[in-house]
Amino acid sequence: MIGRFAPSPTGPLHLGSLYTALAGFLQARSQQGLWLLRIDDLDIPRNVKGSADSIQRTLEAFGLHWDGSIAFQSQHIEVYEYFINDLQVRELIYPCTCSRKELINNARGELHPDIYPGICRHREVKPDSDYALRIKTDFQNIDFQDQMQGFFSYDLARQYGDFVVKRKDNIIAYHFAVVIDDHLQQVNQIVRGHDLLAETPKQIYLQQLLGFYTPAYMHVPVIVDRQGYKLSKQTQAVAVALTSPGQVIFELLGLLKQRPPVELKQAPIAELLDWAIAHWKPTLLKNIQVVSCDF
Ligand SMILES: [Zn+2]
């Protein structure tokens, strides 16, 4: 089994990310699997200098040691371009010059502006205009069984339309890069937050087109604060404090519905994690999408 944690270097690790990292770590280690660290740093405008280092230090401080060397997506641009070209040759992708404004106007409130109606499929690209690349999604039904959230069936054309694989600013789209890296790193178990579940059908579709194996998916709940907002960099979630990692892990295990004995509250972090690996029961989180945190 090979799992991975793939944060974006857009700030220090906050509690919500640490929660997902811990779940992925336990899922891998409880099966004697590998757990890799990858820095998803393609969205250059959003990257914050020093974040990749601070993420590594935080994981180390919490005893979440990864295997092998760290992968950086920004070092794989040529590989992504190779696969973009492959799809282009197969006429599965096409350039799109639509602006956000055009898509909103076109939708006229009847259609969600994020569901692309294929406007540029049969339109010549004006010279010198910036364009995104979109992938064709005709008649594609994607079904999958999530290990925590159950069975899902998506109609790609109706629910997403032709989606972007390379953005107008030349940045490779998140779901495209992720599919390729997971394949290159032979990742066969993906543990991540429930907020990414809706990305899954797009990724499975890309895996199918590129002839890749589809990994097992496990979408764990997201943590919300007392007001019900997801902890994220956008909501200014505070970076986790490194002063008492054992206590934080103990609390996070509670939010993962695991039940560490109270005696372990003061135990060294390695001992607490050993207990958690030996007793990891992801089934206790079944069908839970959100947990709220009040510490
Ligand atoms: Zn277009």
Side-chain angles (χ1 to χ4, degrees), residues 218-256:
M218 178 182 280
H219 288 88
V220 299
V222 291
I223 303 188
V224 296
D225 62 18
R226 284 192 200 100
Q227 282 77 43
Y229 291 107
K230 185 196 155 207
L231 300 189
S232 71
K233 286 148 194 164
Q234 286 74 30
T235 56
Q236 307 297 314
V238 282
V240 282
L242 303 181
T243 42
S244 51
Q247 279 171 37
V248 175
I249 293 285
F250 189 90
E251 299 293 342
L252 287 177
L253 286 171
L255 291 179
L256 286 168

Short mmCIF file of all heavy atoms in Angstrom, two decimals, residues 218-256:
data_model
loop_
_atom_site.label_atom_id
_atom_site.label_comp_id
_atom_site.label_asym_id
_atom_site.label_seq_id
_atom_site.Cartn_x
_atom_site.Cartn_y
_atom_site.Cartn_z
N MET A 218 -10.48 7.40 0.05
CA MET A 218 -11.08 7.51 1.37
C MET A 218 -11.16 9.00 1.72
O MET A 218 -10.14 9.65 1.90
CB MET A 218 -10.22 6.76 2.40
CG MET A 218 -10.75 6.86 3.81
SD MET A 218 -9.67 6.00 5.01
CE MET A 218 -10.20 4.31 4.74
N HIS A 219 -12.37 9.54 1.72
CA HIS A 219 -12.54 10.97 2.03
C HIS A 219 -12.97 11.13 3.48
O HIS A 219 -14.07 10.74 3.86
CB HIS A 219 -13.53 11.60 1.06
CG HIS A 219 -12.97 11.77 -0.33
ND1 HIS A 219 -13.04 10.79 -1.28
CD2 HIS A 219 -12.25 12.79 -0.88
CE1 HIS A 219 -12.42 11.21 -2.39
NE2 HIS A 219 -11.93 12.42 -2.16
N VAL A 220 -12.06 11.68 4.26
CA VAL A 220 -12.30 11.84 5.70
C VAL A 220 -13.04 13.17 5.93
O VAL A 220 -13.02 14.05 5.07
CB VAL A 220 -10.99 11.79 6.51
CG1 VAL A 220 -10.29 10.45 6.33
CG2 VAL A 220 -10.03 12.93 6.15
N PRO A 221 -13.70 13.30 7.08
CA PRO A 221 -14.43 14.55 7.33
C PRO A 221 -13.51 15.77 7.30
O PRO A 221 -12.30 15.64 7.45
CB PRO A 221 -14.99 14.35 8.74
CG PRO A 221 -14.85 12.91 9.05
CD PRO A 221 -13.80 12.35 8.18
N VAL A 222 -14.10 16.93 7.13
CA VAL A 222 -13.34 18.16 7.31
C VAL A 222 -13.69 18.72 8.69
O VAL A 222 -14.79 18.50 9.21
CB VAL A 222 -13.65 19.22 6.22
CG1 VAL A 222 -13.11 18.76 4.87
CG2 VAL A 222 -15.13 19.52 6.12
N ILE A 223 -12.74 19.42 9.25
CA ILE A 223 -12.98 20.02 10.57
C ILE A 223 -13.57 21.41 10.38
O ILE A 223 -13.09 22.20 9.55
CB ILE A 223 -11.66 20.15 11.36
CG1 ILE A 223 -10.99 18.79 11.52
CG2 ILE A 223 -11.92 20.77 12.73
CD1 ILE A 223 -9.79 18.82 12.45
N VAL A 224 -14.62 21.69 11.12
CA VAL A 224 -15.17 23.05 11.11
C VAL A 224 -15.02 23.68 12.49
O VAL A 224 -14.87 22.97 13.49
CB VAL A 224 -16.67 23.06 10.69
CG1 VAL A 224 -16.82 22.57 9.25
CG2 VAL A 224 -17.52 22.21 11.64
N ASP A 225 -15.03 24.99 12.52
CA ASP A 225 -14.91 25.68 13.80
C ASP A 225 -16.28 25.81 14.47
O ASP A 225 -17.27 25.28 13.97
CB ASP A 225 -14.22 27.05 13.61
CG ASP A 225 -15.04 27.97 12.70
OD1 ASP A 225 -16.25 27.70 12.50
OD2 ASP A 225 -14.46 28.94 12.19
N ARG A 226 -16.34 26.53 15.57
CA ARG A 226 -17.60 26.63 16.31
C ARG A 226 -18.71 27.25 15.49
O ARG A 226 -19.88 26.99 15.69
CB ARG A 226 -17.39 27.45 17.60
CG ARG A 226 -16.67 26.66 18.67
CD ARG A 226 -16.74 27.40 20.01
NE ARG A 226 -15.70 26.94 20.90
CZ ARG A 226 -14.55 27.57 21.11
NH1 ARG A 226 -14.30 28.71 20.51
NH2 ARG A 226 -13.66 27.07 21.94
N GLN A 227 -18.33 28.10 14.52
CA GLN A 227 -19.34 28.75 13.68
C GLN A 227 -19.73 27.88 12.48
O GLN A 227 -20.55 28.28 11.67
CB GLN A 227 -18.83 30.11 13.16
CG GLN A 227 -18.88 31.23 14.18
CD GLN A 227 -17.76 31.14 15.20
OE1 GLN A 227 -16.62 30.86 14.84
NE2 GLN A 227 -18.08 31.34 16.47
N GLY A 228 -19.09 26.72 12.36
CA GLY A 228 -19.43 25.83 11.25
C GLY A 228 -18.61 26.07 10.00
O GLY A 228 -18.89 25.51 8.95
N TYR A 229 -17.59 26.93 10.08
CA TYR A 229 -16.74 27.17 8.91
C TYR A 229 -15.58 26.19 8.87
O TYR A 229 -14.97 25.90 9.91
CB TYR A 229 -16.19 28.60 8.91
CG TYR A 229 -17.25 29.64 8.69
CD1 TYR A 229 -17.69 30.45 9.74
CD2 TYR A 229 -17.85 29.78 7.44
CE1 TYR A 229 -18.69 31.40 9.55
CE2 TYR A 229 -18.85 30.71 7.23
CZ TYR A 229 -19.26 31.53 8.28
OH TYR A 229 -20.25 32.44 8.08
N LYS A 230 -15.28 25.73 7.68
CA LYS A 230 -14.16 24.82 7.49
C LYS A 230 -12.86 25.52 7.89
O LYS A 230 -12.66 26.68 7.55
CB LYS A 230 -14.10 24.42 6.00
CG LYS A 230 -13.06 23.39 5.69
CD LYS A 230 -12.77 23.31 4.18
CE LYS A 230 -11.37 22.77 3.99
NZ LYS A 230 -10.73 23.19 2.76
N LEU A 231 -12.01 24.81 8.60
CA LEU A 231 -10.71 25.38 8.93
C LEU A 231 -9.86 25.37 7.67
O LEU A 231 -9.60 24.32 7.10
CB LEU A 231 -9.99 24.54 9.99
CG LEU A 231 -10.65 24.35 11.35
CD1 LEU A 231 -9.67 23.67 12.29
CD2 LEU A 231 -11.10 25.67 11.94
N SER A 232 -9.47 26.53 7.23
CA SER A 232 -8.63 26.59 6.04
C SER A 232 -7.82 27.86 6.10
O SER A 232 -8.04 28.72 6.95
CB SER A 232 -9.49 26.58 4.78
OG SER A 232 -10.16 27.81 4.66
N LYS A 233 -6.91 27.96 5.16
CA LYS A 233 -6.08 29.17 5.14
C LYS A 233 -6.95 30.39 4.86
O LYS A 233 -6.68 31.48 5.32
CB LYS A 233 -5.00 29.02 4.08
CG LYS A 233 -3.91 28.07 4.55
CD LYS A 233 -3.28 27.30 3.41
CE LYS A 233 -2.47 26.14 3.97
NZ LYS A 233 -2.16 25.16 2.93
N GLN A 234 -8.03 30.16 4.08
CA GLN A 234 -8.91 31.28 3.74
C GLN A 234 -9.63 31.83 4.98
O GLN A 234 -9.88 33.01 5.07
CB GLN A 234 -9.97 30.86 2.70
CG GLN A 234 -9.42 30.69 1.29
CD GLN A 234 -8.58 29.42 1.12
OE1 GLN A 234 -8.83 28.42 1.79
NE2 GLN A 234 -7.59 29.46 0.25
N THR A 235 -9.97 30.95 5.91
CA THR A 235 -10.66 31.44 7.11
C THR A 235 -9.65 31.81 8.19
O THR A 235 -10.00 31.93 9.36
CB THR A 235 -11.65 30.40 7.67
OG1 THR A 235 -10.94 29.18 7.92
CG2 THR A 235 -12.78 30.11 6.71
N GLN A 236 -8.40 31.96 7.79
CA GLN A 236 -7.36 32.39 8.72
C GLN A 236 -7.18 31.40 9.87
O GLN A 236 -6.90 31.80 10.99
CB GLN A 236 -7.66 33.79 9.31
CG GLN A 236 -7.94 34.86 8.26
CD GLN A 236 -6.74 35.11 7.37
OE1 GLN A 236 -5.63 35.24 7.85
NE2 GLN A 236 -6.93 35.14 6.07
N ALA A 237 -7.38 30.12 9.57
CA ALA A 237 -7.16 29.12 10.62
C ALA A 237 -5.73 29.26 11.12
O ALA A 237 -4.80 29.44 10.34
CB ALA A 237 -7.38 27.72 10.06
N VAL A 238 -5.58 29.20 12.41
CA VAL A 238 -4.25 29.39 12.95
C VAL A 238 -3.37 28.18 12.69
O VAL A 238 -3.84 27.04 12.66
CB VAL A 238 -4.30 29.66 14.48
CG1 VAL A 238 -4.71 31.09 14.75
CG2 VAL A 238 -5.23 28.67 15.18
N ALA A 239 -2.10 28.45 12.50
CA ALA A 239 -1.14 27.37 12.34
C ALA A 239 -1.09 26.59 13.64
O ALA A 239 -1.27 27.14 14.72
CB ALA A 239 0.24 27.96 12.03
N VAL A 240 -0.86 25.28 13.51
CA VAL A 240 -0.81 24.47 14.73
C VAL A 240 0.43 24.83 15.55
O VAL A 240 1.51 25.04 15.00
CB VAL A 240 -0.83 22.96 14.43
CG1 VAL A 240 -2.22 22.51 14.09
CG2 VAL A 240 0.13 22.60 13.31
N ALA A 241 0.24 24.90 16.85
CA ALA A 241 1.36 25.22 17.74
C ALA A 241 2.20 23.96 17.93
O ALA A 241 1.66 22.86 18.05
CB ALA A 241 0.82 25.71 19.07
N LEU A 242 3.50 24.13 17.94
CA LEU A 242 4.38 22.96 18.03
C LEU A 242 4.76 22.64 19.48
O LEU A 242 5.50 21.70 19.73
CB LEU A 242 5.66 23.21 17.22
CG LEU A 242 5.45 23.55 15.74
CD1 LEU A 242 6.77 23.76 15.02
CD2 LEU A 242 4.66 22.44 15.05
N THR A 243 4.22 23.42 20.40
CA THR A 243 4.66 23.28 21.79
C THR A 243 4.16 22.01 22.47
O THR A 243 4.87 21.43 23.29
CB THR A 243 4.23 24.51 22.61
OG1 THR A 243 2.90 24.83 22.22
CG2 THR A 243 5.15 25.69 22.35
N SER A 244 2.94 21.59 22.16
CA SER A 244 2.44 20.38 22.83
C SER A 244 1.85 19.42 21.80
O SER A 244 0.65 19.17 21.79
CB SER A 244 1.40 20.74 23.87
OG SER A 244 0.43 21.58 23.29
N PRO A 245 2.71 18.87 20.92
CA PRO A 245 2.21 18.03 19.83
C PRO A 245 1.41 16.82 20.33
O PRO A 245 0.43 16.43 19.71
CB PRO A 245 3.47 17.60 19.09
CG PRO A 245 4.62 17.90 19.99
CD PRO A 245 4.18 19.02 20.88
N GLY A 246 1.83 16.24 21.45
CA GLY A 246 1.13 15.06 21.96
C GLY A 246 -0.33 15.36 22.26
O GLY A 246 -1.22 14.59 21.90
N GLN A 247 -0.56 16.50 22.89
CA GLN A 247 -1.95 16.85 23.23
C GLN A 247 -2.78 17.08 21.97
O GLN A 247 -3.94 16.70 21.90
CB GLN A 247 -1.96 18.11 24.09
CG GLN A 247 -1.68 17.81 25.55
CD GLN A 247 -1.47 19.08 26.36
OE1 GLN A 247 -2.14 20.08 26.12
NE2 GLN A 247 -0.55 19.03 27.30
N VAL A 248 -2.16 17.74 20.98
CA VAL A 248 -2.88 18.00 19.73
C VAL A 248 -3.25 16.68 19.04
O VAL A 248 -4.40 16.49 18.62
CB VAL A 248 -2.05 18.91 18.78
CG1 VAL A 248 -2.76 19.08 17.44
CG2 VAL A 248 -1.81 20.26 19.42
N ILE A 249 -2.29 15.76 18.97
CA ILE A 249 -2.57 14.47 18.33
C ILE A 249 -3.66 13.72 19.11
O ILE A 249 -4.57 13.13 18.52
CB ILE A 249 -1.28 13.60 18.24
CG1 ILE A 249 -0.27 14.23 17.27
CG2 ILE A 249 -1.60 12.16 17.82
CD1 ILE A 249 -0.58 14.10 15.79
N PHE A 250 -3.59 13.80 20.42
CA PHE A 250 -4.61 13.15 21.25
C PHE A 250 -6.00 13.69 20.91
O PHE A 250 -6.95 12.92 20.71
CB PHE A 250 -4.30 13.37 22.74
CG PHE A 250 -5.15 12.56 23.66
CD1 PHE A 250 -4.75 11.28 24.06
CD2 PHE A 250 -6.37 13.05 24.13
CE1 PHE A 250 -5.55 10.51 24.90
CE2 PHE A 250 -7.18 12.28 24.97
CZ PHE A 250 -6.77 11.01 25.35
N GLU A 251 -6.11 15.01 20.80
CA GLU A 251 -7.40 15.63 20.46
C GLU A 251 -7.83 15.25 19.03
O GLU A 251 -8.99 14.96 18.78
CB GLU A 251 -7.33 17.16 20.56
CG GLU A 251 -7.00 17.70 21.94
CD GLU A 251 -8.11 17.44 22.96
OE1 GLU A 251 -9.26 17.15 22.55
OE2 GLU A 251 -7.80 17.49 24.17
N LEU A 252 -6.87 15.25 18.12
CA LEU A 252 -7.21 14.91 16.72
C LEU A 252 -7.68 13.45 16.60
O LEU A 252 -8.57 13.15 15.82
CB LEU A 252 -6.01 15.15 15.79
CG LEU A 252 -5.67 16.62 15.50
CD1 LEU A 252 -4.42 16.71 14.64
CD2 LEU A 252 -6.83 17.35 14.83
N LEU A 253 -7.09 12.57 17.40
CA LEU A 253 -7.55 11.17 17.39
C LEU A 253 -9.01 11.10 17.83
O LEU A 253 -9.80 10.34 17.28
CB LEU A 253 -6.67 10.31 18.30
CG LEU A 253 -5.27 10.01 17.74
CD1 LEU A 253 -4.40 9.35 18.82
CD2 LEU A 253 -5.36 9.11 16.51
N GLY A 254 -9.37 11.94 18.79
CA GLY A 254 -10.77 12.02 19.22
C GLY A 254 -11.66 12.47 18.07
O GLY A 254 -12.74 11.94 17.85
N LEU A 255 -11.18 13.46 17.31
CA LEU A 255 -11.96 13.95 16.16
C LEU A 255 -11.99 12.93 15.02
O LEU A 255 -12.86 12.99 14.15
CB LEU A 255 -11.39 15.28 15.65
CG LEU A 255 -11.55 16.49 16.57
CD1 LEU A 255 -10.91 17.72 15.95
CD2 LEU A 255 -13.02 16.77 16.88
N LEU A 256 -11.04 11.99 15.03
CA LEU A 256 -11.09 10.88 14.06
C LEU A 256 -11.91 9.73 14.63
O LEU A 256 -11.92 8.63 14.08
CB LEU A 256 -9.67 10.40 13.72
CG LEU A 256 -8.81 11.29 12.81
CD1 LEU A 256 -7.35 10.85 12.80
CD2 LEU A 256 -9.36 11.34 11.39
#
